[in-house]
Amino acid sequence: MRAFLVGKRKRKYRSDYEKAVSSAQRYFDYLYSPDRFWRTFQSILEWLAGIPTALTYETRVRQLQNIHYKVLEYVGLTIARDVERIGRKEYPERFRPVFVTIASKLPEAVFKRMSLREFAGRLGVSWRTVRDALWYMRRIGFELPLVVLPYR
């Protein structure tokens, strides 16, 4: 029985999806800093676009759920952590907890090409609150273009 178990190695990843997500997370961590956020995020989007598209609808949906959205969630949680940490320290008088929620969902909204109003509607806040959160992120040092989400 012992000879049978000697050749077995425990696999680090259960699937190729987990391997891709782990690789993207390490790539993002390597590049990321708040003052280079937008360039880093664009690099991650290019990396995601470089993944060959699955042939059938079912596998494409699985690919989006298991790779793309998990990577975007990780990016969102990372920037939300930094918005809270930097915001409470550097500019606490304008900090609002909803800014952390908006920051955590921002990468997915950019990926889905949502408008500012559509994004605000999905979060259940005013579009002005989203606008203020983006302004706040720029104020505390995040690199963001003037139009992250179009007004439409």
Side-chain angles (χ1 to χ4, degrees), residues 9-15 18 22 26:
R9 282 191 312 167
K10 186 177 177 185
R11 290 188 345 203
K12 187 172 181 181
Y13 303 107
R14 280 180 256 157
S15 69
E18 287 180 10
S22 174
R26 281 180 298 175

Side-chain angles (χ1 to χ4, degrees), residues 18-148:
E18 287 180 10
K19 190 173 185 179
V21 169
S22 174
S23 176
Q25 289 173 350
R26 281 180 298 175
Y27 180 57
F28 181 75
D29 288 339
Y30 172 71
L31 295 175
Y32 174 72
S33 74
D35 59 333
R36 291 191 326 245
F37 166 70
W38 194 251
R39 284 176 276 181
T40 306
F41 183 59
Q42 294 302 316
S43 297
I44 285 291
L45 290 179
E46 288 173 14
W47 188 90
L48 288 173
I51 297 173
T53 306
L55 298 176
T56 63
Y57 175 76
E58 291 82 11
T59 52
R60 255 179 282 162
V61 169
R62 199 174 319 129
Q63 188 178 40
L64 279 172
Q65 290 173 344
N66 291 334
I67 299 174
H68 292 67
Y69 292 142
K70 285 187 180 181
V71 170
L72 294 172
E73 180 184 11
Y74 178 77
V75 170
L77 292 175
T78 303
I79 65 170
R81 180 196 67 208
D82 284 346
V83 164
E84 185 167 14
R85 181 177 56 84
I86 296 169
R88 287 189 188 274
K89 184 174 70 173
E90 291 186 11
Y91 204 48
E93 61 272 8
R94 294 282 300 202
F95 179 78
R96 292 170 49 195
V98 73
F99 292 169
V100 175
T101 305
I102 291 169
S104 70
K105 301 295 182 188
L106 183 64
E108 190 175 337
V110 172
F111 179 73
K112 290 181 177 178
R113 296 186 176 131
M114 288 186 195
S115 69
L116 185 73
R117 294 171 192 272
E118 183 182 358
F119 180 51
R122 292 246 175 121
L123 292 177
V125 297
S126 166
W127 67 271
R128 290 178 181 91
T129 306
V130 174
R131 182 196 61 196
D132 291 346
L134 295 174
W135 172 86
Y136 186 78
M137 288 174 69
R138 282 187 209 96
R139 177 82 165 99
I140 62 175
F142 275 80
E143 176 197 32
L144 288 173
L146 286 177
V147 181
V148 177

